[in-house]
Amino acid sequence: MEREERCSAENGKFHGLATFFSSAPADPSAAVFVFPDGSVYEGQVDNVDGRPVRKGQGVLRLADGSKMTGQWKSDLLHGRGRCEFADGSVYEGQWCRHAFDGEGTLTSASGVAITGRWAAGKLTGPVQSKDEQGVQWVGQMADHRGCQLTVMRP
């Protein structure tokens, strides 16, 4: 079955029309959304007020080449997930309402990795980082405003 669904623009949700393909009868919670910009969501959905909403495990492939995989709730990445950005950087960790939130690691395309606690998309508290040469650093971040890092010695 195929039909168009209106999608909200609030809280990071897609807006406009999307083509909704229902799942095979064996798994009524699975679906595919194809959005006008070429983005595609494949995964579990829930019926909320007669509309399909992303909920459960799913993969969103954005038109820019980014790929978001993980747990969804109310149409937003929420729980454990991974995002492979178009620029080659990767975030893997906890999400809350489509933002980095909880423990996670952001790795740049060049290999610089920073691990720490995120709150509403910002690093906060103790962080560890590894640069392109493999040197490890530790430090303290306050609301993503920068920190003093110290080289970890063996």
Side-chain angles (χ1 to χ4, degrees), residues 63-102:
D64 72 358
S66 299
K67 177 180 167 184
M68 303 174 88
T69 305
Q71 298 168 327
W72 295 78
K73 179 179 177 185
S74 300
D75 259 354
L76 302 171
L77 201 54
H78 188 90
R80 185 110 186 116
R82 175 183 173 95
C83 184
E84 300 168 18
F85 296 96
D87 69 1
S89 59
V90 175
Y91 173 80
E92 187 158 7
Q94 294 294 317
W95 294 77
C96 182
R97 289 173 282 175
H98 230 60
F100 306 166
D101 201 283

